[in-house]
Amino acid sequence: MNRLTAVEFKLFLRDPAAYFWTLLFPVALVVVIGSLPSSREAGAELGQRGIDHFTPVLVVLSCALTGLFVTPAYLVGYREKGVLRRLSATPVGPVRVLVAQLVVQTAVVATTTVLVLGTAALLWDVEPPANPGGFLLAFALSVPAVLAIGLFLASVIRTGKAATGAGSMLFFPLMFFAGLYVPREQMPEAVNRIGDYTPLGASVAAFGDAARGDWPGPAAVLVLAAYAVVLGVAAARLFRWE
């Protein structure tokens, strides 16, 4: 298991595109959004500065990019190249393959989270989460929930183009409910209620609670745990070697 995870880390480090989308792109967005004068002024509708609102959203964005694009692309690419077929003849089971990916991508998201929070604090004086324990709980729930979606897609989709298409179809509406395009505070109540039951909407809500000094709400905790467990089990059961 350790050897398989180490190999996955090495393969990730050799992929410049993965660096950009998972590490550099979210940090670049922090710089761009914070550079807008309007984002550094407190608004009556948000009750906080725009950059303060978007920082947790960008943490969730990094997780979504990793879970919906990078993770499926790796595993489906292995399937297309016949790597998984060769692994099927070894004692390595689907659970170990999926867990190795989960460990690698969780480390990537953790690194990006530190970079996003550090950049926002250094450049734009964004306060760290008022409840660090709550933030860690939100992270521990959000990452498995979102990565489980990617693992599920990778388990049932056979081609890289189909995986990219499926990731795109999920990414844009899910990020809408997370408040990337329109802050959740400015959305109708009915839309927010729907968003609370999506993995990214629940994740943003959990991180927002921690930022305000609270613990993630019970609804967000249950939603994220349900996505992680249900899709994680489905990914292991439906995993295809070929």
Side-chain angles (χ1 to χ4, degrees), residues 22-32 58 111-112 115-116 119 123:
T22 60
L23 296 174
L24 300 180
F25 184 65
V27 176
L29 284 180
V30 172
V31 176
V32 171
L58 294 178
T111 302
T112 306
L115 292 175
V116 167
T119 301
L123 295 182

Side-chain angles (χ1 to χ4, degrees), residues 6-234:
V7 170
E8 292 295 338
F9 266 117
K10 291 179 180 179
L11 292 174
F12 175 83
L13 294 175
R14 295 175 183 175
D15 188 354
Y19 287 162
F20 176 79
W21 290 112
T22 60
L23 296 174
L24 300 180
F25 184 65
V27 176
L29 284 180
V30 172
V31 176
V32 171
I33 292 174
S35 298
L36 301 175
S38 59
S39 73
R40 302 194 300 273
E41 299 175 356
E45 294 182 341
L46 293 178
Q48 59 182 339
R49 299 181 306 166
I51 187 61
D52 296 314
H53 162 79
F54 279 109
T55 296
V57 175
L58 294 178
V59 170
V60 174
L61 171 70
S62 70
C63 188
L65 289 171
T66 303
L68 299 179
F69 291 106
V70 177
T71 301
Y74 271 102
L75 286 174
V76 174
Y78 292 165
R79 184 177 292 117
E80 288 184 309
K81 296 173 183 177
V83 175
L84 295 182
R85 183 174 64 251
R86 291 192 289 272
L87 283 176
S88 66
T90 70
V92 176
V95 173
R96 292 184 180 181
V97 173
L98 296 176
V99 169
Q101 277 293 323
L102 183 63
V103 171
V104 171
Q105 303 306 341
T106 297
V108 171
V109 175
T111 302
T112 306
T113 299
V114 172
L115 292 175
V116 167
L117 295 180
T119 301
L122 181 64
L123 295 182
W124 316 122
D125 296 322
V126 174
E127 295 290 335
N131 185 347
F135 186 89
L136 291 176
L137 176 60
F139 183 88
L141 291 168
S142 299
V143 174
V146 179
L147 292 185
I149 302 174
L151 294 176
F152 175 77
L153 293 177
S155 295
V156 299
I157 294 177
R158 294 186 176 183
T159 67
K161 289 184 178 180
T164 301
S168 298
M169 289 179 62
L170 290 173
F171 176 81
F172 293 103
L174 288 179
M175 285 308 306
F176 167 77
F177 287 114
L180 178 63
Y181 317 120
V182 179
R184 284 169 57 87
E185 292 82 357
Q186 298 177 3
M187 292 182 182
E189 181 62 27
V191 176
N192 271 327
R193 192 173 295 276
I194 295 172
D196 289 339
Y197 291 96
T198 66
L200 301 190
S203 180
V204 168
F207 281 119
D209 289 339
R212 291 187 294 271
D214 300 322
W215 289 90
V221 170
L222 290 175
V223 168
L224 292 171
Y227 275 103
V229 173
V230 173
L231 291 178
V233 171

